[in-house]
Amino acid sequence: VEAKASDRGCAQSTAAVEAKASDRGAELATLIAEPPPARHPKLAALVDGAFRLICSPSSPLPVAADLVYSSVVTVPALPAGPVEQWADTQYLWFNLWFDNNTSVAAAINNQFSSQLVLGGIWAQAGQGPPFYQPVSGKVTSYHIQAQYFMKFDPSGSKYPSELASGTATVTGRLVAVEPGESVYTTFHISADHSTWTLRVGVLGYGPERESVIEVPKPFMGLLDVDGLDLQWRDYDTVLAGCNWEIYGAKGPGSVPTGMSYDVAIAGTKPRRWTPWANSKAGSVPSTLAMECSNVYPDGQGTAAGEYLTQQTRFNISTRP
C-alpha cells in the first residue's frame, strides 16, 4: 500500500491538499466547540434508526508477523438528504478485535477501530497517557482516522477513579477525504510480536494524508495490575470484519447509497482461510442490499485448500 501511495504521490499538489486540510480544520474546530454526546458502537444499543451491515469470517484468524490485514474502499457520495437529516453517527470501517485472552478478567473490548466517519465521532482525538481518554467531536464531511478502542472494568485497572468510564482510546489525526477518493486501511504486527501498527490513508498521497498509530501493549498497560504484564504475544488469533455502523438514521436519504470493501489478508506462508459472509442487525433500510465474495488468487495454492492470500469483496448497494 505504501508503494502505491508513493507511486501516485504527484496526483495532486501539496498546496491544494494543505488548503483543503486548513478548511476542514477550521470546520472541525467550530463543530468541536459544542460536541455531540459521545457515542461508540461498543457502548450504544441498536435502537430505532440504528443498524449494522457486516461482512466477517465465521472463526478467528491467525496473528503472524508475515501477515498484513488490509482493505481499500472508495469514499461514497454524501447522503442525498439535507445535512440536518443525516444519520447522527456513521462509522464505515474495517476492524480487527481480540477476544481470546480470557485470563484478563477486566478486559471487555480490545478493538482496532480505524474508520471512515461522518457525523458524531466518539473520539475525534485522545488525551494521551496516562489515562487515554477520548475527546468527542463532529464532522459534516468524511474523515479518516486510525484508532484503538479499549473497554474494561475500571475496578481492574491501574486507575479506577480516573478510568471510571471503563473506556480509553488511542487516536491518530483526523484526515479529511472526498467522495471518489480511495482509502486504505492496514494492520500489521512487528516481527517480534511486540507492536501493532495501524494505518489509514488516501491512495495517491504520502504521509500528509495518512493517520497512523502504534500500539505497543494491549490496553496500553492500563490493566497491568497485580503483577500482570500483558503483551501482544498473548493474543495469537484475531477477529476481523467490514462494518457499516449507523446511529440515528432517518430514512434512505440520511445514509450513503453504498460502498465496496476490497479486503486482502496477505502473507508468505500458505494457510487455510475461513470464508467471509454477510450479516445484519437493527433497523436496516429496505433499500440497502449487500453481498460478499471470497477469492483466492490463481497460482498461490500450495496444497489442497491452502493459499498465501485471501481476498474478500463486500459490496453494499441500493436496490433499483
Side-chain angles (χ1 to χ4, degrees):
V1 170
E2 292 177 10
K4 287 184 178 179
S6 176
D7 291 343
R8 302 182 188 178
C10 296
Q12 182 169 329
S13 70
T14 301
V17 172
E18 290 176 346
K20 284 186 178 180
S22 177
D23 292 344
R24 298 305 186 199
E27 171 198 46
L28 188 58
T30 299
L31 291 167
I32 290 172
E34 298 181 2
R39 189 190 318 213
H40 188 279
K42 295 297 184 184
L43 308 176
L46 289 181
V47 296
D48 287 347
F51 66 90
R52 299 186 183 106
L53 300 177
I54 304 166
C55 181
S56 61
S58 58
S59 60
L61 299 167
V63 170
D66 71 300
L67 286 175
V68 176
Y69 287 81
S70 68
S71 171
V72 175
V73 302
T74 299
V75 180
L78 291 165
V83 173
E84 60 272 15
Q85 294 181 14
W86 290 359
D88 299 335
T89 297
Q90 306 186 49
Y91 294 112
L92 317 176
W93 49 16
F94 169 58
N95 280 194
L96 301 184
W97 64 99
F98 305 83
D99 71 346
N100 66 325
N101 192 324
T102 57
S103 63
V104 185
I108 299 175
N109 288 115
N110 188 10
Q111 179 187 11
F112 293 165
S113 51
S114 298
Q115 59 196 8
L116 170 64
V117 66
L118 181 65
I121 308 174
W122 179 76
Q124 67 89 16
Q127 295 179 347
F131 308 128
Y132 298 99
Q133 290 303 283
V135 178
S136 62
K138 182 179 181 180
V139 290
T140 54
S141 60
Y142 287 116
H143 285 68
I144 54 175
Q145 180 193 57
Q147 186 185 104
Y148 174 35
F149 169 71
M150 299 159 272
K151 184 178 180 183
F152 45 83
D153 179 352
S155 67
S157 72
K158 280 184 175 179
Y159 312 105
S161 297
E162 293 84 355
L163 300 175
S165 68
T167 61
T169 188
V170 179
T171 59
R173 64 193 180 104
L174 279 174
V175 178
V177 295
E178 300 290 341
E181 292 187 313
S182 295
V183 168
Y184 60 84
T185 302
T186 67
F187 306 105
H188 180 249
I189 197 167
S190 59
D192 62 359
H193 281 229
S194 67
T195 303
W196 278 92
T197 300
L198 288 56
R199 297 178 181 274
V200 56
V202 184
L203 282 175
Y205 295 86
E208 76 278 4
R209 300 193 71 198
E210 185 179 57
S211 182
V212 184
I213 60 173
E214 291 190 344
V215 185
K217 279 181 70 67
F219 294 93
M220 301 304 289
L222 296 176
L223 303 187
D224 287 357
V225 297
D226 299 328
L228 180 67
D229 183 17
L230 199 58
Q231 302 291 333
W232 283 118
R233 60 177 174 269
D234 299 321
Y235 295 82
D236 58 1
T237 62
V238 67
L239 299 167
C242 303
N243 193 351
W244 266 26
E245 190 118 23
I246 309 292
Y247 292 89
K250 306 169 186 69
S254 68
V255 299
T257 57
M259 191 169 84
S260 291
Y261 294 80
D262 287 306
V263 176
I265 310 172
T268 60
K269 301 175 183 178
R271 293 174 171 88
R272 292 182 180 274
W273 300 103
T274 301
W276 292 42
N278 296 334
S279 61
K280 61 182 179 180
S283 307
V284 180
S286 60
T287 54
L288 292 178
M290 58 180 176
E291 58 182 350
C292 179
S293 58
N294 300 277
V295 177
Y296 306 92
D298 293 339
Q300 293 199 9
T302 57
E306 293 188 349
Y307 300 90
L308 298 178
T309 299
Q310 181 187 50
Q311 296 177 351
T312 301
R313 166 160 277 210
F314 179 42
N315 186 58
I316 301 169
S317 60
T318 296
R319 303 177 194 276

